[in-house]
Amino acid sequence: MGITKKYSYDFDQYEEEGKGPSTLVEDILADPEFPQVTDLIIGDWGNSWEEDCQAILDGIAANAQRFSHVEKLFIGDMEFDECEVSWIMQGNYKELWTALPHLKELTIKGSMDLDLGEVCHEDLESLTIICGGLPVYVIEEIQKARLPKLKKLLLYIGSDNYGFDGNPDTIREFLEKVQLPKLEYLGIVDSEIQDEITEFVLESKFMTQIHTLDLSCGTLSDKGGELILEKLPQYDNIKYLDVHHNFMSEKLIKKLEELPLSVDTSDRNEPDHYNGKIYMYAMLTE
């Protein structure tokens, strides 16, 4: 039975002991428990807003045989008081896909300098990217991916202030072109264009195969909620709908909760009004 373990440095270790991305892999490999670690979590590497994690990624690839038992990997698991999500310096993952042949789940937090490379993995079942803004080029890398066993895809789209440089058509094209034959959980979340995304998701080819639809953490309003009410009853394969953190009316939320499936409508928000304009916000941006 494998174990879960998190490795990280605080800022004092970085400043006073010379710890950082270049030493973390060495410390992981020196841990006598590491051969039993199947769920590997990388937290703060000491100065994550100024120094990227490339040395960590390269260290894993250089020691691929000693990391080959890892089945779950989370890189960038840190709270806002360690580093704001939009400040986390990521790296290039191109060597990781072959270095970890038994990897089942990959979670990445942060999108600054993130590059997935050519995404190809025969056994990966879950891919999650948590960020304040997902660049179009990363979306396109996933769009071209070969992930024949992927069951869960969760993408935080975020804000154009923090890295998202696309538009609704970016998501429409992504959903049309990406090939994920085993997908069961589709999450396109945390967007300031959540109504538009909802429309394209509900029209996508994945609606007949998924059991979980996640449209949470964004600016979903009654416009998107009405589309869900209209379209979702056509798909009895969908058993769970997540729309928490939304801007829908109480009346529409009640209707959604009456659908014959499990629904999370928690964290309802009211739009802000200022100088005659209406403002809604995604849950995670900076």
Side-chain angles (χ1 to χ4, degrees), residues 36-48:
Q36 285 75 51
V37 174
T38 54
D39 188 347
L40 173 60
I41 302 171
I42 306 294
D44 189 3
W45 40 91
N47 193 11
S48 308

Side-chain angles (χ1 to χ4, degrees), residues 113-136:
D113 292 344
L114 174 63
D115 190 344
L116 298 179
E118 184 177 345
V119 182
C120 181
H121 198 289
E122 294 299 320
D123 291 315
L124 193 74
E125 296 179 358
S126 175
L127 175 62
T128 297
I129 301 180
I130 304 165
C131 64
L134 193 61
V136 168

Side-chain angles (χ1 to χ4, degrees), residues 52-89:
D52 63 36
C53 65
Q54 193 61 53
I56 299 170
L57 300 174
D58 292 344
I60 292 173
N63 294 276
Q65 187 171 357
R66 297 180 69 184
F67 280 86
S68 64
H69 60 286
V70 172
E71 297 178 359
K72 298 180 182 181
L73 177 63
F74 187 162
I75 294 190
D77 181 21
M78 58 192 87
E79 299 299 322
F80 72 92
D81 56 343
E82 296 173 291
C83 186
E84 297 280 7
V85 66
S86 63
W87 298 2
I88 298 172
M89 302 284 291

Side-chain angles (χ1 to χ4, degrees), residues 156 189-191 194 215-219 243-245 281-284:
Y156 283 59
V189 308
D190 193 54
S191 172
Q194 201 67 48
L215 298 166
S216 64
C217 303
T219 58
V243 289
H244 82 272
H245 183 93
Y281 51 89
M283 185 185 75
L284 186 67

Side-chain angles (χ1 to χ4, degrees), residues 178-243:
V178 67
Q179 298 299 316
L180 301 169
K182 300 296 185 180
L183 197 68
E184 298 176 351
Y185 181 123
L186 176 59
I188 310 290
V189 308
D190 193 54
S191 172
E192 294 182 336
I193 52 171
Q194 201 67 48
D195 286 338
E196 291 87 345
I197 286 175
T198 295
E199 179 180 359
F200 294 138
V201 168
L202 291 170
E203 294 173 351
S204 75
K205 57 181 176 286
F206 299 110
M207 290 298 293
T208 58
Q209 70 185 66
I210 60 174
H211 60 59
T212 298
L213 176 59
D214 190 346
L215 298 166
S216 64
C217 303
T219 58
L220 187 70
S221 72
D222 280 7
K223 179 181 178 181
E226 291 286 1
L227 288 172
I228 295 172
L229 277 174
E230 176 188 348
K231 300 288 187 179
L232 209 57
Q234 303 174 30
Y235 305 103
D236 57 7
N237 51 291
I238 298 179
K239 305 303 182 184
Y240 183 69
L241 170 68
D242 189 348
V243 289

